[in-house]
Amino acid sequence: MNLKNKKSFSSSLFILLTVLFCGIIPSFAQYPEKTITIVNSNNPGGVIDLMARKLAVIAKKYEDVNIIIENIPGGSGTAAMNYVLSQPADGYTLLATLKSYISTGLLSEDGVKINDFHLLACMVYDWEAIITNKNSEVVSFEDILKDAEIKNGRQKWLGPNTGGLDHLMALETWEKCSIQARWIPFEGSSVSIAALLGGNGVVYVGNPLDVKGRPDLHIAAIASPNRLSDFPNTPTFIEKGFDLKEQMWRGFSVKKGTPKNKLDFLENLLKKVSQDTEWQSYIKSGYAEPVFLNNAEMEPQLKYEEASAKRLLTRAGVINESSGKTNKNSWLYLIAFLIASAAFVFIVFKLKKTLNDKEFLVLVFLIGIPLYFLYQSSFFPNSQKITENGPALIPRIWSLGLLLFTLIYLFRFKNIKPTKNVSEEYPKLLAVKLVLLLLGYFISILFFGFYISTFLFIISILWTLNYKSILPMLSVAFGFLLLIYLLFEKSLNINLPNGIWL
Amino acid sequence: MENTWDLIGTVLANVLSWQTLLIIVVGILYGILAGAIPGISASIAVALLVPFTYTLDAGQAMILLTTVYMASSYGGSITAILVNTPGTPGSVVTTFDGYPLTRQGKPGLALGTSIISSTIGGILGTIILIIFSIPIAKFALSFGPPEYFALAILGLTIISSLSSDNLIKGLIATLFGLLLTTVGVDPFTGFPRFTFGLSELGDGFSFIPALIGLFAIGEVLVQVETFVSKPKEIDKYSQQFPNFKMIKKLGGLIFKSSIIGTIVGAIPGAGGTVATFIAYDQAKKSSKTPELFGKGSLEGVAAPEAANNAAVGGALIPLLTLGIPGSASTAVLIGALFMHGLVPGPELFTKQIDVVYILFAALIIANIFMLIIGWLGNRLFVKVISIPPAILLAIIPAFAVVGSFTINRSMFDVGTCIAFGIFGWLLKRNDFPTAPVVLGLILGFMVEANLRRTLLMGDFTLLFTRPLSAVMLLIALVSFVYPFIRKKKKII
């Protein structure tokens, strides 16, 4: 090897080693080297939130890991799911996962699915139960069957929103026990229980924890394979001759694409927590069962549960051919209806020789929007008959009412005098400037984050309003931002948006 | 507990300990501050504090969280009165007369009436909770879908009070609010309605950002149109607080509003906000000067504030007697109490009666502390009117943005707030009242869900055959027509 070749060999080796070193270093970096966030869709104090908080405490016993909990409620879990998907797949953002996210995914409009996540482990089985009011005539499982027969399809079952796990449990029970009944959904489990206690239905679908502290409630049957030790007198469906096992499981997931070494670490950690006695007694205190099923063990179960949910929801008409139809070009239709109503209002104004520019825009909205709602509601399921108790019923009533009164208003007033005058021009221009600044502020937050945008916004408004002393301007902007930082970020642990570019 | 004296001893020892008093003071300061920040409603204020209660024992945690609930219900009125920005949904109605009083340079009168009414309402609500919780809980349980529907309709009749000057504009604004509540996934069929394929609209428009937009940003835009750069001066009028004579005059109204607040607050799903509208409506109907409502009536401040804070005691009734939360805040509370090993419900009275009575005593003491802190704070709050308007007009929208974002950590909510703000401005410019839009937003879901539940349960005749529902619908009819008859009589 000559000198030149030697030199080039050494350089190549150096580059190769540098590349390898740079590539290897991160994979050898200690994980976790920063705080892990568990996102959940409950408010603080909810079942899944408390479970995540307990996990954070117990995990510290086994690994030097700092875990914080973030609550992102909304959209039956879609808000939390979308948030986790918006974060990098680096193992630092976990999703506290519920079985009900399967149906959330099936019904979601933006395509978020439980399959977008890698389920690390399922850690809790909370068995589903059918619950009755002890003070009513229908208490036992046999009573329910008998009552259903008498009422012939008019028996009322109560629970949270349609399409949720409790609704699926009801559908499965009806199918397996040959019951014909009606599902009456409420805003949540508490309001459903109040309705049960008030005699507005005969069965509530929930979990054993729902009877805790409520002596008037009775579990008629539980969908567990065996009787629960806390409820030794409560029969299972299997005992009653119906092959029905159903549970709300809870676990933890990460975004798909998370490196394997991090998946292994997290799975291991969750396994250690699941064997911890404090964890087990905590889960049991909520009448649930602590379990540990890893990703490989849950994979076939997830597939089965998704297929089953799809079948039941389709059978109940929740997933139907109308799903998704209304959204096609819906923005375009809205704009078209607004343009049409603008033309209509313009013609009416012309005919009435009115030049009331102030009212023009409001009237365009008040006519265009209900027209659009009426048009869209014709695509809703069960919307053929105007009086049908379907999703179109109420929007149609309000739309027609709004349209009627707006038209009365439009035609009632004659020769409204133009309100425009010179003295109003300047303040009106100011208001329009402020509207533009607000819109700019919103867009700026998306790109530059809250702090820079707010600073610029405050300065701009003050400048626009002729408040131009530099020092007070800066003091107001910095003082406000400091207050917000201390109050929201430091005291309340609320991270304000960072923006795409920062 | 072996006997009553032991129980009293335990309760007093706990409540009067310096730790408990400190917890109450901290809870009130935090609650007032949180309530005054737009976007942080009472339930969010309680929820945000839950993780900080882990180190406290169960009784102390319960006291802290209920104190915060109480104080934040009052705190919302401060920004409602001073800058037309309701800090919590329960203080929307307070803006109707509180803000006009500030515009007239009398913020002290509005703030003073608010703290006194809130305190009396809070104490009366607690007393009713202690004495009448069982019958009220039974009454609350008698509310099924037909009764909720009738209650919502009764609530909607308030538009005749809110817009008797121009009923047609009031009806249009209400119907617009009602129509907007149909956006989102239909809870009965799971079908997405008017969502444009956006998952953010799955739950419909977020109520609080819409509210902040309509009131805070809408008002800022209106103010800019009549912009005066000079701030108001702090004078003897702005520093004037209500005297004993004024309060005595309002006594009957505060009492009546507190009862309305407690009962409506005890009905799960109805809540303090609905109670404030009903109390305001009743106050206007029984007032000797109804024409002052909406223009700066002290009665218009006292009624909703008393009802709002009495509703805290009301919401605790189903929680403590049935284990069912009566409001969003008590729903958070129940989870937090579970975490501390307390099981709210009838068993609490049998197994941990001392905790229940400690809570009752702490609530009374919390109200007294709230009065002192609020009264002293008012001296400071009135100074807001001396801030140059340009600064307020710059800061309020920024605060509105933070508040809207905080609720769901969502920029979509920020967009909702700004859009509703611009729409609110357009409505106000054309003399369309914005209050009925909010009424529609509050009651829309309640009307739809309960009408459709009633139809699922049988048919619409249930609305008229169930006595309570029939009576409420009749009252609603009378209530709607009454202002017009009264107006006609006056003209004649």
Side-chain angles (χ1 to χ4, degrees), chain B residues 158-458:
Chain B
I158 295 165
I159 46 168
S160 61
S161 277
L162 296 180
S163 49
S164 49
D165 290 345
N166 191 340
L167 183 69
I168 205 156
K169 280 188 170 177
L171 281 169
I172 289 171
T174 311
L175 282 161
F176 191 76
L178 288 167
L179 187 61
L180 290 181
T181 61
T182 61
V183 174
V185 173
D186 174 32
F188 289 80
T189 57
F191 187 81
R193 301 185 297 189
F194 320 113
T195 55
F196 300 95
L198 300 168
S199 67
E200 289 88 346
L201 277 177
D203 289 339
F205 288 107
S206 293
F207 174 62
I208 298 175
L211 194 71
I212 298 173
L214 276 173
F215 282 88
I217 294 187
E219 182 60 24
V220 163
L221 289 166
V222 170
Q223 287 299 311
V224 164
E225 287 193 291
T226 52
F227 179 63
V228 183
S229 59
K230 213 174 151 228
K232 283 197 173 70
E233 278 176 21
I234 303 272
D235 55 21
K236 63 174 182 169
Y237 294 110
S238 50
Q239 289 279 29
Q240 189 192 350
F241 292 94
N243 55 33
F244 183 71
K245 209 175 147 192
M246 287 173 176
I247 299 302
K248 202 179 157 194
K249 225 172 142 188
L250 294 170
L253 177 68
I254 293 174
F255 184 75
K256 186 173 80 173
S257 306
S258 303
I259 291 176
I260 292 173
T262 315
I263 294 174
V264 179
I267 300 168
T273 310
V274 177
T276 56
F277 275 93
I278 295 178
Y280 183 82
D281 183 50
Q282 289 306 311
K284 188 175 176 184
K285 285 190 175 121
S286 62
S287 172
K288 284 176 188 155
T289 51
E291 66 282 0
L292 285 181
F293 275 69
K295 291 166 191 152
S297 160
L298 282 186
E299 291 172 300
V301 175
E305 279 307 305
N308 191 25
N309 274 57
V312 174
L316 288 171
I317 290 175
L319 182 80
L320 293 178
T321 51
L322 306 164
I324 292 167
S327 66
S329 306
T330 44
V332 178
L333 196 62
I334 201 169
L337 298 181
F338 269 144
M339 194 180 69
H340 281 280
L342 288 178
V343 184
E347 282 179 15
L348 206 58
F349 282 89
T350 50
K351 291 181 180 165
Q352 281 159 307
I353 185 79
D354 51 335
V355 174
V356 178
Y357 280 94
I358 288 169
L359 174 71
F360 290 162
L363 274 175
I364 302 269
I365 293 174
N367 271 293
I368 296 165
F369 274 85
M370 189 174 85
L371 176 67
I372 298 167
I373 293 171
W375 191 261
L376 294 174
N378 282 348
R379 302 278 185 282
L380 187 73
F381 303 147
V382 289
K383 296 202 170 20
V384 166
I385 63 162
S386 66
I387 296 175
I391 294 178
L392 280 180
L393 294 176
I395 282 174
I396 292 170
F399 240 129
V401 163
V402 188
S404 306
F405 179 80
T406 304
I407 301 154
N408 295 315
R409 317 281 201 278
S410 156
M411 278 304 287
F412 190 84
D413 284 351
V414 175
T416 302
C417 171
I418 293 174
F420 270 82
I422 296 169
F423 189 71
W425 169 57
L426 287 175
L427 287 178
K428 282 183 185 180
R429 289 190 90 231
N430 296 297
D431 300 321
F432 278 91
T434 45
V437 179
V438 177
L439 188 70
L441 287 173
I442 290 170
L443 296 172
F445 183 76
M446 198 167 160
V447 172
E448 166 162 23
N450 290 296
L451 178 65
R452 288 175 64 191
R453 270 179 210 134
T454 306
L455 295 176
L456 273 175
M457 285 168 69

